[in-house]
């Protein structure tokens, strides 16, 4: 494993771009290969077995392209497929997930607050956030709720629109989240709704925006392992299993550049 090798990042679609973007900002020397599995989106509605098999296929693709690290930039896959991916990858690359850095941040900075967690059915159904937070802080107050319409809505480009504003209202007004003091956006798609959610709560709830926290954690771990690229200007490559114009638009919105998107279906 050489420090100059790229970092692989994957998600079911555009969500992981929030993490890839935070990583690219923080680590300008690094090259990234991004894979959005748009053909199988949404992961949040799939069984654990299906998410594990997609994740392993993508990990193989990233390894075949020489990645020194694989970032599972998807909460649904992090909560169901992490162990399987770690076992499969072995010592061929470092494997990162998006849940543990957030749990550490909550326990460190929001432990005495009433914590709300929203994510896909797969993530919320796994109970992973609650389990991990309570393992470190047994009397923590955690309220979780699945918001399954959010990821497909974002994937279709509906953020900052009347559609997203109304959908957010319909979910967040539910009693499950009553009295929360902070809210974890436990799906990598959701930072695209940050502003809409912030406007809904009007400052009464702290929104925990996760990509920067995850990126800081990955940087620190790569540094510790001596795997940061000391020089060079990073290259970005984007692949999707099924081309969608809205993916390209969102990628351009994030990276403020022309994005060359390659369609590559690993299952054909
Ligand atoms: N971005 C993903 C997550 O963090 C998955 C959304 C989906 O495909 O359902 O859970």
């Amino acid at each position: 494993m050489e420090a100059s090798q790229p970092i692989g990042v994957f998600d079911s679609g555009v969500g992981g771009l929030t993490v890839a973007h935070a990583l690219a900002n923080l680590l300008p020397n690094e090259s990234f290969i991004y894979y959005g599995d748009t053909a199988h989106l949404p992961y949040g509605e799939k069984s654990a077995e299906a998410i594990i098999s997609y994740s392993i296929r993508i990990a193989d693709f990233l390894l075949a392209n020489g990645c020194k690290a694989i970032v599972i930039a998807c909460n649904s896959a992090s909560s169901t497929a992490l162990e399987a991916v770690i076992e499969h990858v072995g010592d061929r690359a470092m494997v990162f997930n998006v849940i543990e850095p957030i749990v550490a941040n909550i326990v460190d900075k929001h432990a005495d607050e009433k914590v709300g967690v929203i994510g896909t059915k797969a993530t919320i159904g796994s109970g992973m956030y609650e389990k991990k937070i309570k393992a470190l802080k047994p009397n923590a107050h955690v309220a979780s709720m699945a918001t399954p319409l959010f990821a497909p809505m974002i994937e279709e480009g509906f953020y900052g629109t009347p559609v997203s504003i109304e959908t957010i209202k319909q979910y967040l007004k539910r009693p499950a989240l009553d009295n929360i003091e902070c809210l974890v956006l436990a799906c990598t798609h959701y930072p695209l709704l940050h502003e809409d959610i912030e406007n809904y709560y009007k400052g009464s709830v702290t929104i925990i925006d996760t990509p920067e926290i995850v990126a800081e954690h990955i940087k620190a771990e790569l540094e510790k392992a001596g795997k940061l690229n000391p020089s060079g200007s990073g290259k970005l490559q984007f692949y999707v299993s099924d081309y969608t114009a809205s993916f390209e638009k969102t990628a351009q919105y994030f990276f403020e550049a022309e994005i060359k998107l390659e369609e590559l279906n690993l299952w054909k």
Side-chain angles (χ1 to χ4, degrees), residues 11-16 37 40-46 73-79 98 119-123 148 151-152 155 185-190:
D11 178 43
S12 58
V14 295
D37 188 10
H40 293 125
L41 180 122
Y43 275 14
E45 304 288 308
K46 303 288 187 302
C74 171
N75 284 267
S76 308
S78 293
S79 60
V98 288
T120 65
K121 283 186 194 162
T123 301
E155 201 68 33
L185 306 186
C187 171
T188 53
H189 279 69
Y190 296 1

Side-chain angles (χ1 to χ4, degrees), residues 179-199:
N179 304 321
I180 57 164
E181 293 162 277
C182 63
L183 180 67
V184 182
L185 306 186
C187 171
T188 53
H189 279 69
Y190 296 1
L192 284 150
L193 296 179
H194 188 124
E195 220 177 295
D196 291 341
I197 294 177
E198 194 85 66
N199 289 340

